[in-house]
Amino acid sequence: MNREIQVDVVHSQTGADQAPPSSMDSSSQLLHQPILPISSGPSKKLSLLPLIFLIYFEVSGGPFGAEPAVHAAGPLLALLGFLIFPFIWSVPEALITAELATAIPGNGGYVLWADRAFGPFFGFLMGSWKFLSGVINNAAYPVLCADYLSRVIHSLSAGTPRVIVVVLFSVILSFLNYTGLTIVGYTAVALGFVSLTPFYLMAGFAIPKVRPHRWLKMGKDIDWRLYFNTLFWNLNFWDNASTLAGEVENPQRSFPKALLASGLMTCIGYLVPLLAGTGALDVPQEDWSDGYFADIAGMIAGRWLKFWIETGAVLSAIGLYEAQLSSSSFQLLGMADLCILPRIFASRAKWFHTPWVGILFSSLITLAISFMSFTDIISSANFLYSLGMLLEFASFLWLRRKHPSLKRPYRVPVGLPALVCMCLIPSAFLIFVMSIATWKVYVISLGLTLLGIGVYYLMQHCRSKGCLEFKRGEDKGVEVEEASGTQI
């Protein structure tokens, strides 16, 4: 039997051959258990190395974007932030992802976890929050590529040429995603190597110029909102790759290793350039804006390294786009597997076995948003992501309490009280980030949340009336008994 999906479930007393309930709620309400499909057709599994780099691009993609931390708070707090913040935010999120992605390793990731903990309504709510935040954030990357190209070809800065470039980037990158996770994964490996190498070269050239006392400078007029938002933006999304768990080779072993390796890459990838830049040069705090690492590299090693880092920024944006699009499209596939989205979202391409409907749907939304002024919408996307993370923490704790015998190939090695404490600090930070949002963000976030709830009940109505086709019970796949962890 194909072992793409392995899900622990309490064995039903009514027998394995019982027909599935017809309503949407009851389809996954039985013990809140998502039952997932076996893959039909050939599919290359994602191995450890590309998984590491996909997670890396989900979270970071390089130190691009870390500069505002120095601008907001000075070298000392920027360095301390990227040294300490991973332990209070990134590590808890990564540990939760490692445990739940190995316990319930199906496409859809956090949607499955919320569905298992609290039922299909909360699974759909989680899916709508995370999906919207993902596709909105993804809209920034084709625009970023166009911005960097416009520095060389000035005609691309506005008008029709810029529109053509944004559309062209979106189409090409979406087609790359369509060709399969294996190709996307190894593309991420190559992009990661090329985009990270110049920063380590910069650090090497900086060593003779480093003066450690420069690292101890405090910022003037500290902008705490910018400081914390920069740390939050650069160190989140550890759970996004969980939506691909059904495509990963031996996810029970691969996910903990990949999360550890990508975590080390991320932390080192931020700290080394910051140590080099702030230690080698004595420049005004206000100069540290987005993209300033390229100028730092030029001052330390020359224009050739500045050009390489600017090129690396474009390559990093490509990697970020590919990773996020993969996560969003497989999330929709997982939601269709749970019968909370129509069956068409579970459709896979004949040649590449990728969720082509999810890729197309996600890409069209991202492309549409690319032409909007979306500062407040991006802030709303972060707000929705924060709501999703709070629900994810609650799902994790509830599953530990309600299903202690669920087979967990990787288990965070502490008890429930310690886990509550582990989740409290990042939860408090999420609430803080949400509390400093503007009224526009509250309105947009409320509207998008109500839209998600409306779509859920619309899907429920369509299923009950037979307006749309959803997956049937005979399409479901592998089950594992919770008590024993043995495959049925």
Side-chain angles (χ1 to χ4, degrees):
M1 176 176 282
N2 189 314
R3 57 186 181 88
E4 177 180 356
I5 306 296
Q6 294 183 19
V7 180
D8 298 304
V9 60
V10 178
H11 192 260
S12 172
Q13 306 240 341
T14 57
D17 295 327
Q18 181 178 351
S22 60
S23 72
M24 177 181 293
D25 279 331
S26 59
S27 68
S28 55
Q29 190 69 26
L30 179 61
L31 297 173
H32 302 317
Q33 174 56 45
I35 303 174
L36 305 176
I38 298 174
S39 174
S40 58
S43 177
K44 291 184 178 180
K45 292 291 188 176
L46 197 65
S47 59
L48 179 61
L49 182 62
L51 178 62
I52 290 171
F53 278 86
L54 277 176
I55 294 175
Y56 175 71
F57 275 105
E58 293 278 12
V59 177
S60 170
F64 311 100
E67 302 98 327
V70 182
H71 179 91
L76 178 61
L77 288 180
L79 291 168
L80 288 176
F82 281 101
L83 182 64
I84 297 172
F85 195 71
F87 290 97
I88 62 176
W89 169 252
S90 300
V91 170
E93 187 180 3
L95 288 174
I96 289 170
T97 301
E99 177 167 315
L100 293 181
T102 56
I104 311 175
N107 293 327
Y110 33 70
V111 178
L112 311 184
W113 311 339
D115 179 279
R116 176 73 184 267
F118 302 119
F121 173 79
F122 287 97
F124 194 95
L125 194 60
M126 171 75 87
S128 64
W129 283 337
K130 292 293 189 83
F131 176 77
L132 288 170
S133 68
V135 293
I136 292 172
N137 285 330
N138 224 20
Y141 304 129
V143 174
L144 179 62
C145 290
D147 287 341
Y148 274 98
L149 282 178
S150 67
R151 296 183 181 184
V152 180
I153 307 173
H154 299 297
S155 62
L156 301 181
S157 60
T160 302
R162 180 180 178 83
V163 171
I164 293 173
V165 168
V166 171
V167 171
L168 193 61
F169 263 107
S170 299
V171 171
I172 292 173
L173 297 182
S174 297
F175 178 77
L176 177 61
N177 211 275
Y178 171 73
T179 60
L181 267 182
T182 300
I183 292 176
V184 170
Y186 281 105
T187 300
V189 174
L191 293 173
F193 177 78
V194 175
S195 62
L196 278 176
T197 299
F199 289 101
Y200 292 109
L201 289 175
M202 181 183 77
F205 281 105
I207 290 175
K209 304 177 182 181
V210 166
R211 303 295 180 266
H213 67 87
R214 294 171 179 159
W215 295 331
L216 304 178
K217 287 186 177 180
M218 288 287 293
K220 299 176 182 178
D221 301 322
I222 298 175
D223 185 343
W224 292 108
R225 178 181 293 185
L226 176 61
Y227 175 70
F228 283 115
N229 277 331
T230 301
L231 293 177
F232 179 67
W233 177 257
N234 283 282
L235 291 166
N236 61 10
F237 294 104
W238 293 96
D239 58 340
N240 272 16
S242 67
T243 62
L244 316 171
E247 311 300 306
V248 173
E249 184 178 285
N250 197 353
Q252 291 87 348
R253 292 181 179 271
S254 296
F255 260 94
K257 294 178 181 178
L259 285 163
L260 175 60
S262 59
L264 291 174
M265 282 178 57
T266 298
C267 294
I268 294 172
Y270 283 123
L271 286 172
V272 168
L274 284 171
L275 286 167
T278 58
L281 299 173
D282 191 4
V283 296
Q285 175 185 339
E286 56 270 18
D287 288 353
W288 283 83
S289 57
D290 281 324
Y292 193 60
F293 271 131
D295 296 324
I296 289 288
M299 287 183 275
I300 290 175
R303 291 183 58 84
W304 65 275
L305 193 58
K306 177 182 179 180
F307 177 77
W308 192 347
I309 286 183
E310 288 177 339
T311 304
V314 176
L315 298 178
S316 176
I318 292 173
L320 289 162
Y321 184 94
E322 292 298 333
Q324 180 58 63
L325 181 56
S326 296
S327 175
S328 298
S329 58
F330 276 98
Q331 178 192 318
L332 294 179
L333 183 147
M335 294 175 73
D337 289 341
L338 283 175
C339 303
I340 54 179
L341 279 181
R343 181 192 185 99
I344 190 172
F345 285 100
S347 301
R348 290 181 182 257
K350 182 179 180 180
W351 288 351
F352 302 111
H353 208 61
T354 46
W356 68 272
V357 175
I359 292 172
L360 180 62
F361 185 73
S362 302
S363 299
L364 288 175
I365 295 177
T366 294
L367 182 60
I369 296 171
S370 298
F371 300 106
M372 299 171 60
S373 175
F374 55 94
T375 301
D376 288 327
I377 297 179
I378 284 291
S379 299
S380 302
N382 292 336
F383 193 96
L384 297 175
Y385 175 82
S386 299
L387 289 172
M389 283 307 307
L390 290 173
L391 179 55
E392 187 173 312
F393 290 147
S395 301
F396 171 69
L397 295 173
W398 186 253
L399 287 171
R400 266 294 188 100
R401 180 180 181 273
K402 199 69 175 178
H403 299 285
S405 58
L406 177 69
K407 184 182 178 183
R408 294 171 170 87
Y410 173 82
R411 184 184 183 93
V412 182
V414 293
L416 186 60
L419 293 177
V420 172
C421 295
M422 182 186 80
C423 293
L424 277 178
I425 296 177
S427 296
F429 181 76
L430 289 170
I431 294 171
F432 168 74
V433 169
M434 294 164 64
S435 70
I436 62 177
T438 64
W439 67 269
K440 288 184 180 179
V441 170
Y442 288 121
V443 171
I444 294 173
S445 300
L446 176 61
L448 292 175
T449 299
L450 292 176
L451 174 64
I453 294 173
V455 171
Y456 170 79
Y457 284 108
L458 176 63
M459 293 297 101
Q460 189 179 37
H461 174 75
C462 289
R463 179 169 178 171
S464 64
K465 298 296 183 181
C467 303
L468 295 171
E469 184 181 359
F470 291 79
K471 284 208 162 189
R472 304 183 304 276
E474 57 267 28
D475 299 320
K476 306 297 182 181
V478 182
E479 297 181 17
V480 179
E481 187 160 72
E482 180 180 51
S484 63
T486 56
Q487 188 170 323
I488 297 176

